[in-house]
Amino acid sequence: MTDTEIKLVTGALLHDVGKVLYRAGDNRKHSVSGYEFLKEEVGMSDEEVLNCVRYHHGDALSHAGLKADSLAYIVYIADNIAAASDRRAAENEEKGFDPKIPMQSIFNVLNGNSAKYHYHPAALDDEAGINMPTEKDYPFDQSFYQKIRRELSDTMRGIEEWKEGYIHSLLSTMEAYFSYIPSSTAVHELADISLYDHVKMTAAYSSCIYGHLQEKGITDYKDELFLHAKEFYEKKAFRLFSMDISGIQSFIYTIHSKHALRTLRARSFYLEILMEHMIDEILERCSLSRANLIYSGGGHCYMLLPNTEETIGIIRDTQEMFNAFFVENFDIALYVAADSVECSPYDLENNPAGSYAELFRNLSQKLSAQKAARYTAEQIMDLNRKTAKSGDRECRVCKKTSEIDEDGMCSFCSMLKKMSDGILYQDFFTVTEQEQEASIPLPGGRFLVAQSENELRSAMEEDFFVRTYGKNKFYTGKYATTKLWVGDYTQKGKTMEKYAKEATGINRIAVLRADVDNLGHAFVAGFPEKYTTLSRTATLSRQLSLFFKHHINWILRNGERSIHGDTQERNASIVYSGGDDLFIVGAWKDVIELALDIRHKLKEYSIDTLTISAGIGIYSAGYPIRVSAGEVAGLEEQSKSQPQKNAVTLLESTYSWEEFERKVVKEKLAALEEYLSRTPERGMAFLYRLLELIRNMDDKINLARFAYVLARIEPQTAEKREAYHEFSKKMYQWVQSKNDCKQLVTAIYLYVYLNRKEEENK
């Protein structure tokens, strides 16, 4: 980025900082208080940046006497475009402003909802748990904003010089402090767009407008953006861009290794960093910051780019580079589709109605067409000409035919093995132009290496340093990094064998796969038409990323639901948790319980507007992970095939979450545990006999045999007889109902698994 572009993004991100001061008790216009705060308290001296803050409103700008090419004109119209997307009138509200108004949830108006839920006044802090929306109104008083002001001042004074790297620092700072602060305090408008999302989108619009004006040779920003602003709203100045990697599932799960869990997690995280690197390669070539990234997760992303010929060329060239890298390193296992559609400010605020959804439909069709015809005829011929070199053998991990080392691994798997400790447990991941020990290749002749904080500080001084990603922490100042939220919860050093050995009852692991139901529809058509804008799409995307990439770690650290015994920190490892889906492996009981936790937390987090469907498979530790991954994917699809989705499939049966928890666990499993705990003489043979009869409960003969088996266990002592009669009555009623019968079978499975002894395991 040029100095001008850096100043523009910085000014756009800071343009509304005065709102914090105003709500903290400064009664001046927020543009004035923000300007003086930055100049006097923070010590900022750059007039271009300060003007973007001081003159981002039309009345002040019209009398400012700025040069026609002042960046303030760009921030002015970008702020208006963002505000037009943000601000939508709420139903039945009076006019006016209230500086104490709380931040409302983006889920209030999603998927037909009409709630009025709010957030607690807080910074984004994982240690305090998840800031869940609540019906209770918590006013954001002056003391809260005064605290934010002090922390902002302390943080920003540490920034010595505003360079490109500090944009990451500024974005992280604003995400931490502004995520639960409403952008607008107008009581007649929805306050569901945070101040962070607003300034981020303003910066994204500003950068795109600048690129568009540069290509058009327009230098009189005052005339183009201020005097003729209305006409600019119709111009196709932006490109909505999307990129989608195919083949992720087979790349991650097609492994054969005794260190399967470690390899799975390392390959998954490598793909996550790979995607972020590809995003940054495009952004940097377009002279943009990560403010222009709308969404990233699951090998898919959306970005807002300037509508220029240069941008179109960059998209084409980088896609070719990425796919050439994939073919060279992974043959045809991975492929990236990438394309864009042009759009105007009006399109992005859904004016006319339906134009916004049409953008996504057109973009989706373009990507689908690319996936249907991945390679040109010439590329296919080149692929067919490729022959194995003399001496090439099959890699023992990924089974790719290649030159292998003395450990039987291809070069990629060997590098990943050497880097696996760092990739799983370090906090910093540096992209360099120089291959190093324990590094792994990335597109564009770059390499990824995991580093400690001290190693990072040294690396940043080297000529071959490109950028660094920091995991799950906010870093600011000279050594700021690009912050990534990563669902990386694990029990360090645990293998599938250890998880199985430590499991309650039977020595088994469980594999969980789950993803949000109908998420594509929610993004494109989940909001009412008047609320369907890029601002809400961006906010919804970020909220989901926070849940599945950040809050998911807290959920697993703080178990709540239990099918048996006490709750605890979950004995499991996240293999992958992305923008809307997840893959988790662990001790079998813990996995079932954490699945219930995730379902309940998502329901609370989204105000019951989003549901999740899952598959859970239970396996011995030595069962091939590539097979279990495929089987559990089938179980997940079975859950999604239900009319309402919102289901879980496990132990041969599919249930709604409510049915599984209420009818299987709390009713039938609880009944089995209560009775059998009082009659320990009834062993597993008794349950197996009942199970055999229940499975064949399709005629009167088997019903009679079932009744006979129950009659034979009637105790002789009076103190046990009451419990027996209650138990047998329930069992006899349940087996005569198809649904109850199915639930009982699952409950018996769970009881048996929970109570299998060591000798039975053997």
Side-chain angles (χ1 to χ4, degrees):
M1 297 174 71
T2 65
D3 286 345
T4 300
E5 290 164 338
I6 294 168
K7 291 177 183 180
L8 176 61
V9 174
T10 303
L13 288 173
L14 292 171
H15 81 278
D16 266 349
V17 70
K19 287 184 175 181
V20 173
L21 282 68
Y22 175 79
R23 298 171 197 174
D26 188 328
N27 292 321
R28 296 172 295 174
K29 289 185 176 180
H30 72 263
S31 56
V32 175
S33 56
Y35 165 79
E36 293 198 2
F37 168 76
L38 293 171
K39 186 175 183 178
E40 304 298 333
E41 195 166 330
V42 174
M44 179 176 288
S45 58
D46 190 283
E47 284 300 318
E48 278 280 34
V49 174
L50 292 171
N51 285 340
C52 290
V53 177
R54 189 177 189 181
Y55 301 116
H56 68 273
H57 289 162
D59 55 349
L61 189 55
S62 63
H63 299 99
L66 300 179
K67 293 180 180 179
D69 63 350
S70 172
L71 299 180
Y73 291 109
I74 298 178
V75 173
Y76 156 78
I77 197 166
D79 177 40
N80 286 344
I81 294 170
S85 292
D86 296 350
R87 299 174 187 174
R88 291 292 188 272
E91 300 296 334
N92 303 318
E93 297 287 358
E94 296 180 359
K95 301 287 184 180
F97 291 84
D98 180 2
K100 295 183 180 181
I101 196 169
M103 177 73 192
Q104 297 174 356
S105 173
I106 193 68
F107 300 102
N108 280 340
V109 292
L110 183 68
N111 289 338
N113 202 14
S114 58
K116 291 187 177 181
Y117 277 58
H118 311 87
Y119 292 105
H120 295 265
L124 189 56
D125 180 9
D126 186 46
E127 296 302 318
I130 307 173
N131 191 357
M132 290 291 192
T134 173
E135 285 186 291
K136 188 173 180 180
D137 191 337
Y138 292 92
F140 283 39
D141 59 23
Q142 286 189 3
S143 63
F144 169 74
Y145 283 110
Q146 287 165 357
K147 180 182 178 183
I148 296 295
R149 173 189 176 139
R150 289 192 299 271
E151 293 180 351
L152 269 179
S153 179
D154 292 343
T155 300
M156 294 173 67
R157 276 202 304 266
I159 300 179
E160 301 164 0
E161 187 178 354
W162 293 88
K163 294 183 178 179
E164 184 173 357
Y166 286 119
I167 292 175
H168 303 313
S169 179
L170 191 55
L171 279 166
S172 290
T173 298
M174 292 189 156
E175 183 179 12
Y177 295 134
F178 293 177
S179 283
Y180 295 110
I181 293 177
S183 172
S184 171
T185 59
V187 296
H188 66 285
E189 295 173 350
L190 288 185
D192 59 349
I193 304 297
S194 72
L195 187 56
Y196 171 69
D197 288 303
H198 172 71
V199 298
K200 180 175 178 288
M201 288 309 305
T202 300
Y205 288 130
S206 295
S207 294
C208 291
I209 292 168
Y210 179 78
H212 169 76
L213 296 176
Q214 288 293 105
E215 182 174 87
K216 298 295 184 183
I218 298 172
T219 57
D220 190 338
Y221 304 157
K222 180 179 181 180
D223 181 73
E224 178 76 5
L225 307 176
F226 187 66
L227 299 179
H228 295 91
K230 186 175 181 180
E231 291 90 328
F232 186 81
Y233 274 74
E234 298 179 353
K235 294 186 177 180
K236 305 288 186 179
F238 310 105
R239 297 199 77 86
L240 182 63
F241 167 82
S242 183
M243 182 164 57
D244 190 18
I245 299 177
S246 301
I248 287 177
Q249 302 297 318
S250 59
F251 176 84
I252 294 176
Y253 305 121
T254 306
I255 61 169
H256 306 243
S257 172
K258 63 180 180 180
H259 303 295
L261 180 56
R262 183 191 194 89
T263 305
L264 273 175
R265 296 184 67 237
R267 290 172 82 88
S268 174
F269 185 69
Y270 168 75
L271 273 183
E272 196 155 352
I273 292 288
L274 173 69
M275 185 65 176
E276 299 300 331
H277 167 71
M278 292 165 64
I279 288 167
D280 279 321
E281 285 293 303
I282 292 174
L283 290 173
E284 289 177 9
R285 293 178 188 216
C286 291
S287 292
L288 302 172
S289 71
R290 287 179 76 89
N292 290 74
L293 176 61
I294 307 301
Y295 168 81
S296 173
H300 194 80
C301 74
Y302 287 99
M303 291 186 272
L304 190 68
L305 308 179
N307 185 17
T308 66
E309 290 300 319
E310 182 181 17
T311 297
I312 295 170
I314 289 169
I315 293 171
R316 181 189 62 247
D317 294 344
T318 51
Q319 182 188 15
E320 289 178 1
M321 178 186 73
F322 297 153
N323 281 322
F325 173 84
F326 289 156
V327 169
E328 179 182 355
N329 289 273
F330 314 118
D331 200 46
I332 59 172
L334 295 175
Y335 173 82
V336 62
D339 218 321
S340 63
V341 291
E342 64 177 14
C343 47
S344 69
Y346 278 146
D347 293 330
L348 297 176
E349 63 180 77
N350 197 32
N351 183 12
S355 56
Y356 182 72
E358 186 66 19
L359 293 177
F360 283 87
R361 278 193 291 270
N362 291 340
L363 191 50
S364 177
Q365 289 171 2
K366 284 189 170 188
L367 295 184
S368 296
Q370 286 189 17
K371 292 176 185 178
R374 289 187 176 188
Y375 306 107
T376 65
E378 183 179 353
Q379 288 172 325
I380 293 172
M381 291 174 66
D382 288 341
L383 287 168
N384 289 334
R385 291 191 195 103
K386 290 179 65 176
T387 57
K389 298 176 184 176
S390 176
D392 280 0
R393 289 186 290 157
E394 188 176 74
C395 173
R396 68 177 177 84
V397 177
C398 69
K399 298 304 177 182
K400 172 187 171 185
T401 300
S402 177
E403 183 178 344
I404 64 172
D405 61 17
E406 60 272 15
D407 293 325
M409 291 187 286
C410 66
S411 59
F412 176 81
C413 290
S414 179
M415 285 186 284
L416 194 60
K417 178 187 176 185
K418 291 176 183 176
M419 193 185 176
S420 60
D421 264 350
I423 208 168
L424 294 177
Y425 304 120
Q426 289 283 22
D427 289 327
F428 300 101
F429 304 90
T430 299
V431 178
T432 78
E433 293 179 332
Q434 180 175 299
E435 185 174 5
Q436 302 178 33
E437 185 178 357
S439 66
I440 197 164
L442 292 169
R446 306 288 173 82
F447 298 88
L448 180 70
V449 60
Q451 294 182 321
S452 66
E453 186 170 349
N454 288 334
E455 289 171 333
L456 170 62
R457 291 178 184 274
S458 298
M460 282 183 161
E461 307 299 331
E462 301 291 344
D463 291 338
F464 49 78
F465 174 84
V466 178
R467 75 180 77 89
T468 291
Y469 300 100
K471 187 170 63 171
N472 292 334
K473 293 180 182 178
F474 291 106
Y475 297 97
T476 59
K478 183 177 180 180
Y479 296 100
T481 67
T482 299
K483 177 195 56 59
L484 300 179
W485 294 125
V486 179
D488 65 345
Y489 175 92
T490 189
Q491 297 288 308
K492 191 171 182 179
K494 294 290 181 71
T495 62
M496 294 191 188
E497 289 74 19
K498 287 185 178 180
Y499 279 135
K501 187 175 181 180
E502 294 172 0
T504 301
I506 193 169
N507 291 345
R508 294 289 187 272
I509 63 164
V511 174
L512 165 70
R513 294 187 71 164
D515 77 314
V516 177
D517 299 319
N518 305 316
L519 186 59
H521 176 270
F523 275 127
V524 176
F527 295 109
E529 279 196 344
K530 73 173 183 176
Y531 301 130
T532 301
T533 65
L534 183 59
S535 289
R536 282 179 177 76
T537 297
T539 299
L540 175 61
S541 299
R542 192 170 69 85
Q543 288 297 323
L544 283 170
S545 289
L546 276 173
F547 185 88
F548 284 101
K549 292 186 176 185
H550 178 50
H551 298 320
I552 190 76
N553 295 318
W554 188 90
I555 293 171
L556 268 69
R557 286 198 303 269
N558 299 273
E560 294 183 0
R561 261 79 192 169
S562 175
I563 63 169
H564 175 82
D566 297 330
T567 58
Q568 59 183 354
E569 188 171 338
R570 300 305 184 189
N571 199 17
S573 292
I574 295 175
V575 173
Y576 173 77
S577 185
D580 68 328
D581 63 343
L582 50 86
F583 184 105
I584 300 177
V585 174
W588 74 271
K589 183 178 81 77
D590 289 69
V591 170
I592 294 175
E593 291 171 340
L594 69 86
L596 292 172
D597 280 341
I598 292 167
R599 180 257 172 172
H600 279 279
K601 290 299 182 186
L602 180 63
K603 181 178 182 179
E604 183 180 2
Y605 187 81
S606 70
I607 319 177
D608 204 15
T609 61
L610 295 176
T611 61
I612 191 168
S613 291
I616 301 174
I618 299 176
Y619 301 97
S620 63
Y623 196 77
I625 191 66
R626 70 188 187 282
V627 179
S628 61
E631 290 176 350
V632 178
L635 299 180
E636 182 187 359
E637 283 303 311
Q638 191 170 326
S639 296
K640 286 190 169 294
S641 68
Q642 303 306 300
Q644 302 301 318
K645 300 184 179 181
N646 193 26
V648 59
T649 300
L650 77 168
L651 297 171
E652 304 178 5
S653 296
T654 300
Y655 301 100
S656 70
W657 288 102
E658 183 179 2
E659 180 185 10
F660 174 71
E661 192 168 8
R662 184 168 58 88
K663 303 294 286 184
V664 175
V665 175
K666 293 182 178 180
E667 183 181 75
K668 295 176 176 62
L669 177 60
L672 289 170
E673 289 186 321
E674 182 181 8
Y675 176 71
L676 294 175
S677 66
R678 296 183 183 183
T679 55
E681 65 273 14
R682 301 299 168 203
M684 293 298 179
F686 164 67
L687 282 180
Y688 292 148
R689 178 60 177 151
L690 290 182
L691 188 61
E692 180 184 2
L693 292 170
I694 293 169
R695 280 175 156 176
N696 296 291
M697 195 63 62
D698 53 2
D699 56 40
K700 292 182 179 180
I701 294 177
N702 278 310
L703 181 61
R705 293 170 68 189
F706 183 83
Y708 174 72
V709 171
L710 286 178
R712 288 191 60 187
I713 66 168
E714 182 172 0
Q716 300 301 311
T717 58
E719 64 269 18
K720 290 186 178 182
R721 201 167 291 154
E722 182 179 351
Y724 160 77
H725 283 301
E726 181 66 24
F727 175 73
S728 60
K729 179 182 178 182
K730 289 179 180 178
M731 295 289 284
Y732 192 72
Q733 288 176 341
W734 288 338
V735 297
Q736 296 183 74
S737 161
K738 183 177 180 181
N739 286 336
D740 284 323
C741 208
K742 183 180 78 166
Q743 295 158 10
L744 182 57
V745 168
T746 303
I748 291 174
Y749 277 139
L750 290 173
Y751 182 87
V752 169
Y753 281 16
L754 287 166
N755 292 277
R756 283 282 290 270
K757 305 300 181 185
E758 184 176 349
E759 60 270 17
E760 291 177 299
N761 278 318
K762 291 179 180 178

